[in-house]
Amino acid sequence: MFTELNSILSSSPDSVTPGEFILVSDRQSDASFLIHHFLSFYLRSRCKVIFLGLVQSFRHYSAVSQRLGVSLTQAKEKGQLVFMEGLKESLSVLIPQADNTESQAMNFLRDPPVGLRSLYEFVRSCAVGSGRAEDGAEEWGPPVLLVDDVSVLLSLGVDAGAVLDFSHYCRAAVCSQMKGNMVMLVRCNGEEEEEEDGEEGAEALLKGLTHQCSLNLHVQGLPTGYCKDIHGQVEVCWKRRQGDGPHTQRNLFQYKVHDKGASFFPRGTSSAVL
Amino acid sequence: MAAPVSGMGEAPAERLPVNSTSFQKKTRSKLVSIPGTRPSVQNGQLLVSTGVTSLDYLLGGGLAVGTVLLIEEDRYDSYSRMILKYFLAEGVVCRHELFVATAQDNPDDILQELPAPILDDVAVPKAVEQPRLTGEPQDSLDAMKIAWRYQHLPKVQSALASSSRFGHYYDVSKTMEAEIRQAAKCHRFCLPDHVTPSSTAHRLESYSALLESLQEVIHREGFDLAAPMSKSRNILRVGLHSLGSALWGDDLCCHDKPRHRHALTTFLYGLRALLRSSLSVAVVTLPSHLIQDRALMGSITRLCDNAIALESFKGSERETNPLYKDYHGLLYVRQVPHLNCLASQLPDHKDLAFKLKRKQFSIERLHLPPDLSETVSRVSRGELASACGPSASGTKNLDF
């Protein structure tokens, strides 16, 4: 959990705004450090977290969260965290074996054009399951869905439209019905002005998800070039706030990622410069 | 085993585990040390050497176990093939196991071209003993007169002991001797041996067969992390040559809108899944100059952990350019991973050039030498003269 980011977003673990869809997007950069922030943030605020880790192993998130002060293994044992390790489950689908008990979640790999229905069913069953209070189990807050990352589904052959459907269904189930939150990471590679016929999927996905979300954190490299002390810039864009009426608010910060967190500062005020 | 971290000012003591040689990435339980590996000083990750010491430095100390290094080939596949051979030769010297996959050539062709290591402490298996001359007692031959304290120590290492160093140097003018090479266990995958039926749009049978064969080797030889820890562990080095080329049945390099658009990316995803759950490391070379779709190249790069691109000057007009005469080509670092930590080890400089010398593949920051030639100064003086004086061609060599 990055304290500076909490103050920028005016959020704290004690009071979590329900029904938010936070989109973390990046262009030619790496925004996965924000996913670690949101993971530790929601675990600290005692929500039930459903994490779809599609690109890295559990050990990676566990090691980083240890540095941020949260233990993923403990959260998993207590039932607060449901971690779906996409890499591990995909192997049983990609390499068919005679005797395997596969979970249904990564079934879309068998035939990607079909869509992500099985993945959505998995998410829904985890989210709904949190409503029931079991004997001896602790009561957790509303469910939060974290997806890291959504663009890898495009690389695996799923259509951009199917991914947008998936995010819409998840938003309806998690954010509206269960009053939980959702955080997704989407990664884009090309320049914004280029019209690439081949990869219209990624741009369309980014635009569609930006339209659906309520808070967008867009990470980019510095427009002036590569710098070792300032790793890039983050544009924070609020879509709508309940009390303030329909207006968008944008803020631009520069950031630097270091070992135990990330520091955010307004443009030009990096400690390397001042 | 790991050297103490003295230069890194901001590494707090509690970040490194108590046993600095345990792999923080895989298990925390026991202290296991595998020859040819060392833990990273930044995050305790287990690293292996790529065989090229300057490339190790660029990647943050070495290649992390469980990751993929993607090498975008240069135009004639000379230097990328060289780096692949360095990688496999390092595996032979460190006594790791090898897995080589090619689409057209026999994997043995690559294995026979491995460069010879230059070290003294890489022991060669002893040849057959010379028969002793009859009649001469052995004691008088073997008895040392001066250094008699050392008499009981063995003279030559009779077993092929693995080198304890991390990263070795190779002499590319000689190939590795057959004895050293055959001491290493090597698994081969040659695509023409696996007959492939028709494939679907999203999965190519060639890639599926490769993935299946790799998984079978990992299970059978015990590289799985889930395997019991009682056995001594070893690392599997996987070398995949020219993935994505038309020889694998893939049309990524042939068409603008390929039919098997996602076959290679699905394979890379499965490869990452296999590597993360086993003690292996992979180097993949890819003819990226044939792929027209830059966005697809971007998603391929993201699915590999480390990515570098080579651009050689051979055949281009830069070969005769005096500015580049010290180097053989340019090297771009496309991606460096951050595994088990938030920040990645970004390189200091982005403009790097490489040079293949006989005993070293060196990667340096590209710097232009000072321009001391006479012709240059004469031209500049002539330009000045013609600018201020009358623009007659005869006055070019006059300097005021």
Side-chain angles (χ1 to χ4, degrees), chain B residues 71-372:
Chain B
I71 303 179
E72 297 184 27
E73 290 176 8
D74 51 314
R75 198 164 288 271
Y76 301 108
D77 190 24
S78 39
Y79 297 105
S80 44
R81 198 181 165 98
M82 195 69 233
I83 297 186
L84 185 64
K85 286 190 280 189
Y86 271 119
F87 176 72
L88 296 172
E90 182 73 23
V92 172
V93 167
C94 298
R95 302 196 76 197
H96 297 159
E97 291 194 23
L98 307 178
F99 180 101
V100 185
T102 56
Q104 188 192 34
D105 319 322
N106 205 338
D108 281 321
D109 292 346
I110 298 184
L111 288 171
Q112 271 154 17
E113 293 172 13
L114 295 185
I118 313 182
L119 291 191
D120 303 325
D121 54 349
V122 175
V124 183
K126 201 156 174 281
V128 175
E129 295 242 3
Q130 301 289 343
R132 291 219 170 263
L133 295 171
T134 54
E136 276 183 344
Q138 264 202 351
D139 318 342
S140 60
L141 277 179
D142 292 347
M144 293 189 186
K145 297 212 170 33
I146 298 173
W148 52 273
R149 282 278 184 203
Y150 300 105
Q151 195 166 333
H152 60 285
L153 291 176
K155 274 190 251 180
V156 193
Q157 274 179 303
S158 51
L160 187 66
S162 70
S163 177
S164 54
R165 272 181 51 174
F166 184 85
H168 300 88
Y169 291 98
Y170 299 88
D171 187 346
V172 296
S173 57
K174 302 184 222 160
T175 53
M176 192 181 271
E177 290 168 28
E179 298 139 356
I180 309 182
R181 195 178 60 231
Q182 273 146 22
K185 203 161 171 191
C186 182
H187 309 276
R188 296 159 178 80
F189 179 94
C190 190
L191 188 62
D193 298 338
H194 298 249
V195 179
T196 59
S198 66
S199 30
T200 67
H202 294 278
R203 272 205 274 149
L204 271 183
E205 283 302 324
S206 53
Y207 292 143
S208 305
L210 175 57
L211 208 59
E212 229 174 285
S213 160
L214 184 58
Q215 188 191 42
E216 195 248 336
V217 165
I218 288 177
H219 276 328
R220 194 182 56 201
E221 305 289 330
F223 291 108
D224 255 340
L225 286 176
M229 297 278 280
S230 51
K231 280 178 46 171
S232 63
R233 308 309 297 267
N234 205 353
I235 305 269
L236 177 69
R237 291 193 180 222
V238 180
L240 306 177
H241 183 246
S242 249
L243 222 54
S245 70
L247 299 168
W248 286 94
D250 204 350
D251 58 353
L252 270 184
C253 300
C254 315
H255 297 133
D256 280 342
K257 311 250 182 176
R259 219 162 32 99
H260 304 132
R261 210 185 145 71
H262 300 287
L264 180 59
T265 42
T266 314
F267 168 75
L268 288 174
Y269 189 77
L271 180 67
R272 179 188 269 211
L274 269 181
L275 293 182
R276 293 284 200 268
S277 57
S278 64
L279 284 173
S280 20
V281 63
V283 167
V284 175
T285 69
L286 185 80
S288 68
H289 51 94
L290 297 174
I291 297 182
Q292 313 297 331
D293 194 347
R294 301 319 303 168
L296 185 58
M297 204 52 233
S299 42
I300 291 174
T301 308
R302 276 203 299 268
L303 278 169
C304 302
D305 305 291
N306 308 275
I308 62 171
L310 298 174
E311 180 192 331
S312 92
F313 295 147
K314 216 187 282 188
S316 74
E317 77 268 2
R318 290 185 188 173
E319 198 175 2
T320 47
N321 192 336
L323 298 174
Y324 293 122
K325 65 175 163 51
D326 286 334
Y327 303 106
H328 286 141
L330 300 176
L331 187 140
Y332 305 99
V333 177
R334 299 265 192 240
Q335 185 168 271
V336 179
H338 61 97
L339 293 168
N340 297 346
C341 58
L342 272 175
S344 57
Q345 322 301 326
L346 296 167
D348 285 334
H349 317 286
K350 291 239 158 173
D351 44 354
L352 302 161
F354 65 86
K355 183 175 175 69
L356 177 62
K357 300 188 260 206
R358 187 168 79 98
K359 297 203 176 177
Q360 197 188 6
F361 185 98
S362 66
I363 301 170
E364 323 171 330
R365 186 174 176 200
L366 177 69
H367 64 275
L368 304 176
D371 216 348
L372 298 170

Side-chain angles (χ1 to χ4, degrees), chain A residues 2 30 32-33 36 54-56 59-60 63-64 67-68 86-87 90-91 93-95 97 106 109-110 112-113 152 154-157 187-189 196-199 226 228 257-261, chain B residues 12 14-15 24-28 42-43 202-203 211-212 215 257 261-262 265-266 269-270 272-274 276-277 293-296 298-299 302-303 305 338-343 346-348 350:
Chain A
F2 310 150
D30 191 5
S32 44
F33 67 99
H36 295 294
L54 299 172
V55 283
Q56 297 282 6
R59 292 264 166 223
H60 168 73
V64 179
R67 302 241 176 99
L68 298 178
L87 286 173
S90 67
L91 267 187
V93 179
L94 286 176
I95 309 178
Q97 282 146 16
M106 298 292 280
L109 281 172
R110 235 183 271 281
V152 78
L154 291 181
S155 307
L156 293 173
R187 309 189 64 183
C188 209
N189 204 49
E196 290 271 357
D197 284 330
E199 199 62 32
Y226 172 69
K228 210 163 183 259
V257 181
H258 42 83
D259 198 39
K260 290 222 169 188
Chain B
E14 67 268 14
R15 193 164 63 78
Q24 214 173 0
K25 185 171 194 258
K26 316 288 184 182
T27 65
R28 268 171 227 270
Q42 277 99 10
N43 51 11
H202 294 278
R203 272 205 274 149
L211 208 59
E212 229 174 285
Q215 188 191 42
K257 311 250 182 176
R261 210 185 145 71
H262 300 287
T265 42
T266 314
Y269 189 77
R272 179 188 269 211
L274 269 181
R276 293 284 200 268
S277 57
D293 194 347
R294 301 319 303 168
L296 185 58
S299 42
R302 276 203 299 268
L303 278 169
D305 305 291
H338 61 97
L339 293 168
N340 297 346
C341 58
L342 272 175
L346 296 167
D348 285 334
K350 291 239 158 173

Side-chain angles (χ1 to χ4, degrees), chain B residues 1-5 16-17 19-25 31-34 36-48 60-65 166:
Chain B
M1 221 162 117
V5 180
L16 290 173
N19 299 324
S20 54
T21 52
S22 65
F23 354 143
Q24 214 173 0
K25 185 171 194 258
L31 185 94
V32 183
S33 64
I34 305 178
T37 66
R38 72 170 177 198
S40 155
V41 293
Q42 277 99 10
N43 51 11
Q45 193 92 8
L46 197 67
L47 300 176
V48 297
L63 201 52
V65 171
F166 184 85

Side-chain angles (χ1 to χ4, degrees), chain A residues 24 35 50-55 61 119 123 144-153 166 170 182-186:
Chain A
V24 179
I35 288 286
I50 306 162
F51 195 100
L52 302 182
L54 299 172
V55 283
Y61 298 105
L119 196 59
V123 167
V144 176
L145 171 68
L146 284 144
V147 184
D148 176 23
D149 65 70
V150 149
S151 331
V152 78
L153 296 171
F166 168 73
C170 288
M182 200 158 89
V183 181
M184 279 195 179
L185 170 64
V186 62

Side-chain angles (χ1 to χ4, degrees), chain A:
Chain A
M1 191 169 76
F2 310 150
T3 39
E4 286 173 16
L5 188 58
N6 278 344
S7 56
I8 289 174
L9 298 177
S10 329
S11 59
S12 84
D14 309 318
S15 63
V16 173
T17 349
E20 290 237 320
F21 175 16
I22 302 175
L23 180 72
V24 179
S25 55
D26 67 30
R27 188 178 287 281
Q28 292 180 333
S29 182
D30 191 5
S32 44
F33 67 99
L34 290 172
I35 288 286
H36 295 294
H37 157 80
F38 284 114
L39 177 60
S40 54
F41 175 81
Y42 284 115
L43 281 177
R44 284 240 177 100
S45 50
R46 296 184 57 83
C47 294
K48 168 143 184 180
V49 176
I50 306 162
F51 195 100
L52 302 182
L54 299 172
V55 283
Q56 297 282 6
S57 60
F58 176 71
R59 292 264 166 223
H60 168 73
Y61 298 105
S62 177
V64 179
S65 301
Q66 201 96 32
R67 302 241 176 99
L68 298 178
V70 172
S71 167
L72 288 194
T73 25
Q74 263 182 18
K76 218 162 123 172
E77 278 162 23
K78 285 193 285 191
Q80 189 188 7
L81 171 68
V82 176
F83 195 99
M84 192 203 81
E85 209 170 327
L87 286 173
K88 211 161 58 166
E89 314 221 350
S90 67
L91 267 187
S92 54
V93 179
L94 286 176
I95 309 178
Q97 282 146 16
D99 54 337
N100 54 348
T101 56
E102 76 232 22
S103 105
Q104 301 295 313
M106 298 292 280
N107 254 358
F108 66 90
L109 281 172
R110 235 183 271 281
D111 193 12
V114 162
L116 295 168
R117 195 183 186 90
S118 46
L119 196 59
Y120 164 69
E121 297 294 337
F122 171 79
V123 167
R124 193 189 169 79
S125 60
C126 293
V128 165
S130 71
R132 288 171 290 134
E134 295 161 1
D135 300 326
E138 296 183 47
E139 275 284 342
W140 303 111
V144 176
L145 171 68
L146 284 144
V147 184
D148 176 23
D149 65 70
V150 149
S151 331
V152 78
L153 296 171
L154 291 181
S155 307
L156 293 173
V158 183
D159 204 24
V163 180
L164 286 171
D165 289 341
F166 168 73
S167 83
H168 178 74
Y169 269 75
C170 288
R171 192 164 64 114
V174 173
C175 298
S176 310
Q177 273 182 5
M178 324 215 66
K179 303 283 182 283
N181 289 350
M182 200 158 89
V183 181
M184 279 195 179
L185 170 64
V186 62
R187 309 189 64 183
C188 209
N189 204 49
E191 298 292 326
E192 207 165 325
E193 296 83 27
E194 281 176 17
E195 287 290 323
E196 290 271 357
D197 284 330
E199 199 62 32
E200 75 261 7
E203 293 291 332
L205 179 63
L206 177 63
K207 285 184 189 155
L209 286 177
T210 316
H211 174 77
Q212 285 181 6
C213 72
S214 57
L215 168 62
N216 183 13
L217 295 161
H218 190 60
V219 176
Q220 271 179 316
L222 290 176
T224 45
Y226 172 69
C227 170
K228 210 163 183 259
D229 289 308
I230 306 175
H231 293 158
Q233 65 184 31
V234 179
E235 192 176 342
V236 181
C237 183
W238 279 275
K239 279 303 166 60
R240 53 186 173 272
R241 288 213 177 221
Q242 275 82 0
D244 301 11
H247 79 286
T248 26
Q249 185 189 354
R250 307 161 84 110
N251 276 340
L252 192 67
F253 293 93
Q254 290 176 343
Y255 71 92
K256 176 175 176 164
V257 181
H258 42 83
D259 198 39
K260 290 222 169 188
S263 52
F264 296 81
F265 34 86
R267 261 188 298 188
T269 59
S270 154
S271 56
V273 168
L274 292 177

